[in-house]
Amino acid sequence: MNRLVIADSSCDLKAKDNLEIVPLTILVGDQTFVDDSNLDLDIFVNTLRRHNGETSTACPSVQTWNDQYEKADECFVVTMTSTLSGTYNSARVAAEMCQQDHPDKKIALFDTLSTGPEMVLLIEQIQKWITENLTFEQIKAAGTEYLKRTHLLFTLKSLHNLSANGRVPKIVASAFDLLNMRMIGVASPEGTIKPLFQCRGDRRALSKLIGYMKSEGYDGGKVRISHVLDPSVAENVKTQILSEWKNADILYYSTAGLCSFYAERGGMLVGFESAA
């Protein structure tokens, strides 16, 4: 029996072993960027920074999802929040079509109501459960329960893209840069972006971030961090966490295209699990 984990590219991971990645597409003016392993992140981020017009994203097609479902008997599908993207719905429609043609195929869909490293936490758990030979039904139920204790924080150093899309006034975005401000926000329980704090400088932002993790029940468990072309900011978070929880399981890596689109250069996303 072939079992496969499938995720959209907002998880920031690359395809490997039993993990397949379905790319989103990002439109910057008249340029199209496919969020796959061929994307040059530095060129993409610089293009985004210089662009002052409209930008947009496009979710994977139903057929793209269906092509992945054809590869396995059991599929575990992890998507970004359905509140802000059509990605989950596209994956769901593809699953319904695929199961009409293959009634014995099993497909579990997980709407994480989040993105980036919170998706990674679930992907890693599903892969672990597969190696432990849990049944399809056990993994589906355990994944749903696990998402109840995972969280996503993000920090932004720039509001340029939000300003270019009319979500933030340009004068606010300019002042944000000039004053060395940082925005800290979370993925809300409804799957939306919820700002929490604005503060000046990395040190203050780090203090706020760690404080929020504690308030949400973090006690030394897993932390996954994705950064937009700035590993130093992720290393600082890792160092601070390890100073309080020396056995914490922490990994960090670069964002892919979709999370870079929203977080911009110097931005960071932090996924963590609260105590069981």
Side-chain angles (χ1 to χ4, degrees):
M1 179 178 62
N2 188 12
R3 314 176 90 181
L4 186 65
V5 184
I6 308 168
D8 68 69
S9 59
S10 72
C11 70
D12 296 324
L13 298 178
K14 290 180 170 59
K16 61 178 181 179
D17 299 329
N18 68 336
L19 173 65
E20 293 287 351
I21 303 298
V22 179
L24 284 90
T25 303
I26 304 162
L27 307 176
V28 183
D30 59 358
Q31 298 187 66
T32 299
F33 295 90
V34 179
D35 190 13
D36 60 15
S37 58
N38 296 315
L39 179 69
D40 187 313
L41 190 61
D42 192 62
I43 290 176
F44 168 68
V45 170
N46 287 337
T47 301
L48 192 63
R49 181 68 183 178
R50 292 192 300 266
H51 184 71
N52 290 313
E54 292 187 359
T55 56
S56 62
T57 64
C59 67
S61 68
V62 170
Q63 186 59 52
T64 304
W65 285 109
N66 188 70
D67 290 345
Q68 297 299 332
Y69 299 160
E70 294 285 349
K71 296 178 179 179
D73 303 307
E74 294 184 0
C75 301
F76 301 93
V77 185
V78 181
T79 78
M80 68 183 296
T81 175
S82 61
T83 306
L84 300 177
S85 170
T87 300
Y88 173 82
N89 189 56
S90 179
R92 179 187 60 79
V93 172
E96 292 173 356
M97 292 174 59
C98 185
Q99 289 176 313
Q100 287 178 358
D101 295 333
H102 308 284
D104 294 332
K105 188 183 293 289
K106 295 182 178 181
I107 304 174
L109 290 155
F110 297 95
D111 176 4
T112 63
L113 297 176
S114 187
T115 192
E118 188 170 0
M119 293 172 64
V120 172
L121 291 171
L122 177 60
I123 290 167
E124 290 181 354
Q125 284 298 115
I126 293 173
Q127 291 175 320
K128 177 176 179 289
W129 294 326
I130 287 175
T131 62
E132 294 172 348
N133 292 316
L134 270 65
T135 67
F136 176 86
E137 290 75 17
Q138 287 174 325
I139 293 174
K140 184 177 179 180
T144 300
E145 286 300 308
Y146 182 66
L147 282 174
K148 293 179 181 179
R149 63 184 187 92
T150 60
H151 311 267
L152 179 74
L153 275 165
F154 62 87
T155 66
L156 304 181
K157 287 186 175 182
S158 172
L159 302 180
H160 172 81
N161 192 39
L162 294 176
S163 173
N165 283 277
R167 298 182 182 181
V168 173
K170 289 185 178 180
I171 191 171
V172 173
S174 296
F176 198 84
D177 288 341
L178 289 171
L179 296 174
N180 193 31
M181 298 293 290
R182 303 288 182 270
M183 177 185 289
I184 300 175
V186 295
S188 75
E190 298 76 28
T192 61
I193 297 171
K194 180 182 178 181
L196 290 179
F197 314 108
Q198 289 188 26
C199 50
R200 294 187 65 178
D202 291 336
R203 182 176 298 180
R204 181 65 173 162
L206 178 57
S207 175
K208 288 283 190 180
L209 187 147
I210 298 297
Y212 183 83
M213 290 175 65
K214 289 180 179 179
S215 73
E216 290 297 306
Y218 179 73
D219 192 29
K222 278 188 176 182
V223 180
R224 298 295 180 261
I225 305 169
S226 59
H227 61 85
V228 187
L229 299 172
D230 190 356
S232 64
V233 69
E235 181 63 29
N236 288 340
V237 174
K238 178 180 179 179
T239 299
Q240 182 63 38
I241 293 173
L242 290 175
S243 71
E244 299 195 42
W245 298 280
K246 64 179 181 179
N247 295 318
D249 177 358
I250 307 170
L251 295 174
Y252 64 81
Y253 42 87
S254 176
T255 51
L258 197 282
C259 285
S260 300
F261 174 78
Y262 287 108
E264 300 189 61
R265 187 182 293 270
M268 177 180 62
L269 297 91
V270 180
F272 66 96
E273 57 182 19
S274 52

